[in-house]
Structures are given as structure tokens and as C-alpha cells.
Amino acid sequence: MNRDGVRKSLWQEEIKNIPASININGTYDVAIIGGGITGISTAYRLQRSGVECILIEAFNIGFGTTGGTTAHLNNFYDTTYAEAISKFGLSNSKLLARSAKEAMEIIEANINDNRIDCDLLERSAHLFALDDQQKKKLEEMMEGSEKVGHVMIPIEETSYPIPFTKAVEIPGQGQFHPIKYISGLSRSFLNSGGTIVENCRCNSHSEEDDLIVLKTSRGVIKAKSVVYATHIPPGISRLHFTNSPYRSYAMAFTLRNGRYPEEVGYDLTDPYHYYRVHEINGEKLLIAGGEDHKTGHADDTGECFSMLENYVREYFDVDLVKYSWSSQYYEPVDGLPYIGKLPGTKNIFTGTGFRGNGMMFGTLSSKVISDLILSGSSEYERLFDPSRVDPIAGLTEFVKENISVVSDFIKDKLFVEKIASLSEVSDGEGRVVKYDGESYAVYKESKGRVHLLKSTCPHAKCEVRWNGAELSWDCPCHGSRFGIDGKVLTAPSVKDLIKVNEKNI
Ligand SMILES: Cc1cc2nc3c(=O)[nH]c(=O)nc-3n(C[C@H](O)[C@H](O)[C@H](O)COP(=O)(O)OP(=O)(O)OC[C@H]3O[C@@H](n4cnc5c(N)ncnc54)[C@H](O)[C@@H]3O)c2cc1C
């Protein structure tokens, strides 16, 4: 497995072994933890500025969401400019619009400077409202966009065979192959003298005098600054209460009639569907995504694929489903990402809460964090401050999300099914079962082998839930995920689920 789920994503073929180092050489200027777009972009940028960097990755480069993304490059975000203006004011929203432009420019410069062949294409986007409610939302979006100088052009036709009530074109968007991109950047990072260590998990950090000491699965690393590019930082901090984990589903189809849309596309349903085309080994594929839900909150994750497939089949002349996979993202409570200093630390930085825009925000993080490390300031540091508390922008959502987290704690105790014996778990099924006052995560392979784990997530003691689509145990509170063997797949947990000797129960 070289991604954090059992299903193969469209990009996975390209996850090849990066020529990683084996030795950890003690002390570095900056240690970057996490080998997705955020970590690689930041390591590359810092190393090129003359800073000695080490990047460590618990598995392999591209193991996390960057290996399960759909890699649209947008200069508009899931939080619309209209929403941003109402929550953060016009000048902050203009800065937000500039951040998207800047992220796009960084990606282009990285590709050009390093001659990375990663299928970069400029594309227009088509945004289409499917009913009157969505039409109203689109009109609000257009007003907000105009105020921040973001171009949306009303159109009468789209290249999508989906009936709409109103549609706009947004020129100057893009798409690329995310793994080819970060592989290229990784190589340039290594060529500039950087160090990458794969299969190296960071288990803890402590700030001691002017150095941060990291305990990793492959030894101790010391660094003057640390960047948690782990999509969500480990430990328990306010960021675990201001971000909620969500799953999103993606599928890649061939079409019988060959009518692949030129533009990237989005409807305005909640959650929205997103579309684009990518050619892999000479074969065009329509990628469609959607059916998002809070992690651990869908009873049957396999059904999310069926719903997405049925929806796409309704409009497109689908021939074959070539790929289907799901992945995780984080919703920030007030709609903007958290990029900057990890709350409560001196020299530890992070980037999280990217929603479905992590190609852009992960890239932007490389600039914000590098600027903070190299010069102590960034023009974006206030807007994206991880320690911000904005009572107007975030309070309602904060309360809502935290009621959900708190009720997850409570519900989990009730949710645990009270069954008397393991025989009630069918082959190929995973379930949390109550046995003799304790809760266990039980997975029965189709040949009958039973995997038994304690079902309590080591991160914040919530009860994990079964994800049948990716064969993983997912924590509904903060999004940690574990394989059937209990091994941690997704942060924030750095510990595995406890394995239980079957004879003990
Ligand atoms: C289905 C889907 C589609 C999406 N589509 C788009 C899109 O079209 N456009 C867009 O802009 N965004 C999109 N996003 C969002 C975007 O993909 C993510 O925000 C982005 O990939 C996050 O990158 P990252 O580097 O921050 O995290 P990741 O890619 O998750 O990388 C984090 C890495 O840290 C490692 N790690 C974690 N803990 C530790 C530890 N303790 N020690 C060492 N290593 C550790 C992990 O193994 C992982 O490899 C999508 C998200 C989803 C789920």
C-alpha cells in the first residue's frame, strides 16, 4: 500500500521510490514532517534559500491526501469571496484572492524552474447552478468575486451535459498530476542538498532552549524550526477543535461517446460535485468527485461510491469505471485555513484546514511558513493565524462542530453495538463490538481470520468506526485512521490501535 487506503487512486502508479537518505545526521536548520504537497513545497523552498532541511515521512512521499486528491488548481476557494467578505471584510478578502493568484504563480515557477513534467494544463472552469437556490448562491458568488477583482463571466452553455439554471466561466484555472509534481520537487530538493527520510514517523517533539528535539521511529532529530506538514498536526491543540475531518469520494470513468468536457466543472450542490479530465497512458478519463461526509459519520462508505457513480451515469455516457478512491480533508471552523505558528509553541509551524483547496493552500503554506522562518513575518500571517479566534466569523460554526465532537464522545459509547459474541460479525465485515464491558474493533477477513483491536483512538480517546470502502478504522472526532492491523494511517494520532490477543477475550 502506498496511499492511506486500500483503493488505488489515479495517481498512484507514479509513486515511485524517491532516492531517500537512510542516515539522520543529528541537527538541521528545519525539520519538515510530512511528504505531501505542503511538506515538499516548503522543504524545497527553504532548502533553496540556503537553509539545511530534513523532510521525514511516516510512509512514502504522496501517502496522504496528496496521493488521493483530484488536483484542480483554482483561484477561487470553497469559501466563496462573498462568504469571506461577510466574515472577514473586503480588504482581507482581497488578500485572500491575492493568495490564490500567488499560489498559482508559485506552482508555475516551481514547474518551470525545475522542468517538471507533470501534465500541467491551463483550463477554464464552468460553475453551474442546478436549481433556483443554487442560482441565488451563484449570484451572490458573482457579486463577491467582482468586489475582490476575481473574474466570473456569465455563459449560456457549458460543456457539461447537465441541465442548469445559471452558469459562469472562470478563465485561468489549471490542473496537473499531483504525484508527478511533488516527485519533481522532491528530486530538486534532494539535488539542492536536502535530506528525505521515508518510513520515519515523528512520535513527539519537545522545545529545548533554541532547539526542538524530535523523537522519530528512526532516531532523534534536532532542528531550530519544525514544520508539521501532516495535514493536521499531532497532539491535542486548539486546531483539533477548529478543524473537522471530512471524507470525499472520487472516481475516474471512460466515456463511450468520447465527449469529455474541456473545462473543469463544479455544481453548487452541498456537498458539490467536481469534475475534470486527465489523460493517463494515452487514455482520457473523466474524474468526478463528491458525496463528502464527516469522517466516521457514514454507515456504509461503499454506498458513497454507488451514489457518485449513479449520479455520473445519469448525465454522462459512462463506459467503464477505471478508478475509485476516497480521501480526507479538513474543514476549518471559520472557512479559512490555519497557516503559521502551531499554537503554544515558539518555533513550530503548521498548515491545516485547507478544505478542498489544498493544492493552493499547501503551496501557499510553503511561502507563508518560509517567510515566517526566514524573516519572522508574512503578509498573510494575520489572515491565516492558527491562533486566531474570530467571534463573528467562527463562533456559530465552532459551537456546531464542537457539539458534534462532544456528542461523538457520548454517542460513541451508545453507538457501540452490544452483541454477545464475535460470531455475529460476518466475513469481510468490520464492527465495533462490546464484550465483557470493553469495546473492540473487530474485522473478519473473508477467509475468516479475525483482527482484534481495542477500539479507542489513542489520540483523544474517541471510539473508531469502520470504513468499509477503504478497509480502515476511522475516528469521527479528529480524523485519525488505522489499518485493519491497527497501524496508524492518518494523523493526528501517532500511535497504533492496541492489538488484542484473541485468547484474552
Ligand atoms: C478527494 C479529494 C479531492 C481533492 N481535490 C482537490 C483539488 O482538486 N484541488 C485542491 O486544491 N485540493 C483538493 N483537495 C485537498 C488537497 O488534496 C489536500 O488539502 C492536500 O493534498 C493536503 O496536502 P498536505 O501535504 O497538507 O497533506 P497530505 O498530503 O495528507 O500529507 C501529509 C503527510 O504527512 C505524513 N504524516 C502524518 N503524520 C506523520 C508523522 N507523525 N510523522 C511523519 N509523517 C507523518 C502522512 O503520511 C502524509 O503523507 C482534495 C481533497 C480530497 C480529499
Side-chain angles (χ1 to χ4, degrees):
M1 194 202 294
N2 47 22
R3 204 180 67 77
D4 63 0
V6 294
R7 286 169 181 262
K8 200 168 171 188
S9 86
L10 185 60
W11 322 114
Q12 230 161 307
E13 292 290 341
E14 287 295 328
I15 299 184
K16 303 196 177 100
N17 286 337
I18 306 284
S21 320
I22 305 168
N23 294 324
I24 295 173
N25 170 28
T27 305
Y28 296 83
D29 292 323
V30 185
I32 296 107
I33 303 159
I37 191 165
T38 308
I40 301 285
S41 311
T42 307
Y44 164 78
R45 195 178 180 96
L46 284 167
Q47 185 74 30
R48 293 281 285 236
S49 315
V51 169
E52 200 191 345
C53 296
I54 182 170
L55 182 143
I56 64 168
E57 161 56 53
F59 296 89
N60 51 265
I61 298 300
F63 186 84
T65 301
T66 303
T69 185
T70 50
H72 298 224
L73 308 175
N74 299 325
N75 63 15
F76 59 97
Y77 295 123
D78 290 359
T79 297
T80 66
Y81 292 119
E83 285 161 354
I85 292 167
S86 76
K87 288 180 177 179
F88 301 95
L90 184 58
S91 73
N92 279 326
S93 304
K94 284 186 175 166
L95 184 59
L96 183 67
R98 194 154 83 237
S99 77
K101 194 164 169 279
E102 187 147 18
M104 201 80 94
E105 286 164 2
I106 294 171
I107 290 175
E108 277 167 8
N110 285 348
I111 291 172
N112 292 336
D113 292 351
N114 299 288
R115 297 204 186 92
I116 302 174
D117 179 6
C118 59
D119 312 341
L120 176 71
L121 287 176
E122 185 177 326
R123 288 276 183 257
S124 286
H126 283 178
L127 236 73
F128 33 93
L130 304 185
D131 56 32
D132 286 347
Q133 212 184 339
Q134 291 182 31
K135 184 176 168 200
K136 192 164 169 275
K137 182 166 183 199
L138 185 54
E139 283 163 355
E140 284 164 9
M141 285 172 75
M142 289 168 77
E143 268 177 46
S145 279
E146 199 180 345
K147 286 186 186 152
V148 300
H150 175 253
V151 178
M152 281 187 169
I153 305 160
I155 48 173
E156 298 301 321
E157 282 179 21
T158 79
S159 53
Y160 283 81
I162 302 174
F164 61 89
T165 52
K166 191 172 181 87
V168 295
E169 178 163 315
I170 309 176
Q173 310 307 297
Q175 61 175 58
F176 66 3
H177 190 304
I179 296 300
K180 286 186 184 174
Y181 174 68
I182 63 166
S183 295
L185 270 192
S186 302
R187 279 171 216 285
S188 295
F189 169 66
L190 290 170
N191 290 340
S192 325
T195 303
I196 294 180
V197 185
E198 294 187 309
N199 299 308
C200 178
R201 177 172 298 284
C202 177
N203 291 321
S204 68
H205 68 252
S206 56
E207 287 191 287
E208 294 173 11
D209 302 323
D210 288 339
L211 282 181
I212 300 150
V213 179
L214 299 177
K215 288 198 179 138
T216 81
S217 54
R218 296 180 71 166
V220 169
I221 297 172
K222 292 182 181 170
K224 292 178 200 149
S225 304
V226 163
V227 181
Y228 274 117
T230 47
H231 210 176
I232 185 89
I236 297 188
S237 78
R238 58 184 300 146
L239 290 175
H240 298 102
F241 293 93
T242 51
N243 288 282
S244 302
Y246 277 74
R247 306 289 303 166
S248 189
Y249 294 78
M251 301 180 88
F253 306 89
T254 50
L255 301 182
R256 253 187 299 259
N257 62 10
R259 288 202 200 121
Y260 293 89
E262 265 289 298
E263 292 78 15
V264 296
Y266 309 84
D267 63 25
L268 291 162
T269 52
D270 185 16
Y272 63 91
H273 296 97
Y274 44 101
Y275 307 91
R276 78 173 181 88
V277 174
H278 203 103
E279 202 168 305
I280 298 275
N281 301 327
E283 183 175 53
K284 273 193 178 174
L285 294 165
L286 170 74
I287 307 170
E291 302 300 334
D292 309 12
H293 61 77
K294 206 170 168 197
T295 300
H297 284 243
D299 290 339
D300 182 353
T301 45
E303 207 172 292
C304 299
F305 287 111
S306 313
M307 288 190 296
L308 181 60
E309 180 178 343
N310 290 342
Y311 187 82
V312 173
R313 281 186 185 277
E314 212 176 301
Y315 299 108
F316 293 88
D317 187 17
V318 169
D319 185 14
L320 296 173
V321 177
K322 289 284 183 130
Y323 296 85
S324 61
W325 71 97
S326 70
S327 199
Q328 189 148 303
Y329 64 94
Y330 294 86
E331 283 279 323
V333 78
D334 62 12
L336 291 192
Y338 300 94
I339 306 170
K341 201 169 277 185
L342 182 67
T345 68
K346 274 199 299 188
N347 280 315
I348 303 181
F349 301 85
T350 195
T352 187
F354 297 159
R355 305 192 76 180
N357 307 117
M359 297 296 103
M360 312 312 286
F361 284 131
T363 302
L364 192 75
S365 299
S366 72
K367 177 172 168 51
V368 178
I369 293 172
S370 299
D371 287 350
L372 288 172
I373 289 175
L374 298 173
S375 73
S377 68
S378 156
E379 62 177 318
Y380 299 105
E381 71 182 283
R382 286 198 56 215
L383 187 59
F384 300 138
D385 183 3
S387 295
R388 71 179 179 267
V389 184
D390 186 326
I392 299 164
L395 191 64
T396 322
E397 283 302 311
F398 182 84
V399 170
K400 213 164 71 190
E401 287 294 3
N402 278 290
I403 283 173
S404 162
V405 168
V406 171
S407 73
D408 280 333
F409 273 109
I410 300 162
K411 251 193 313 185
D412 278 331
K413 306 294 171 198
L414 308 172
F415 183 85
V416 171
E417 293 164 67
K418 294 191 167 98
I419 64 166
S421 103
L422 289 179
S423 62
E424 290 188 30
V425 183
S426 319
D427 283 4
E429 191 192 5
R431 268 219 233 176
V432 174
V433 304
K434 192 98 169 161
Y435 187 86
D436 212 13
E438 291 280 350
S439 297
Y440 298 93
V442 184
Y443 171 65
K444 253 191 199 175
E445 282 182 19
S446 43
K447 286 192 184 128
R449 186 171 163 214
V450 177
H451 298 261
L452 263 183
L453 307 159
K454 283 276 180 75
S455 60
T456 305
C457 173
H459 175 242
K461 312 293 177 220
C462 289
E463 297 295 320
V464 294
R465 293 181 189 167
W466 179 237
N467 177 347
E470 295 285 4
L471 301 191
S472 62
W473 294 102
D474 297 359
C475 177
C477 292
H478 306 108
S480 298
R481 298 177 54 250
F482 307 85
I484 53 171
D485 54 0
K487 291 250 181 291
V488 63
L489 294 174
T490 304
S493 182
V494 292
K495 290 194 183 140
D496 301 337
L497 291 179
I498 296 170
K499 267 195 178 169
V500 180
N501 181 342
E502 285 157 58
K503 287 191 195 122
N504 288 346
I505 77 161

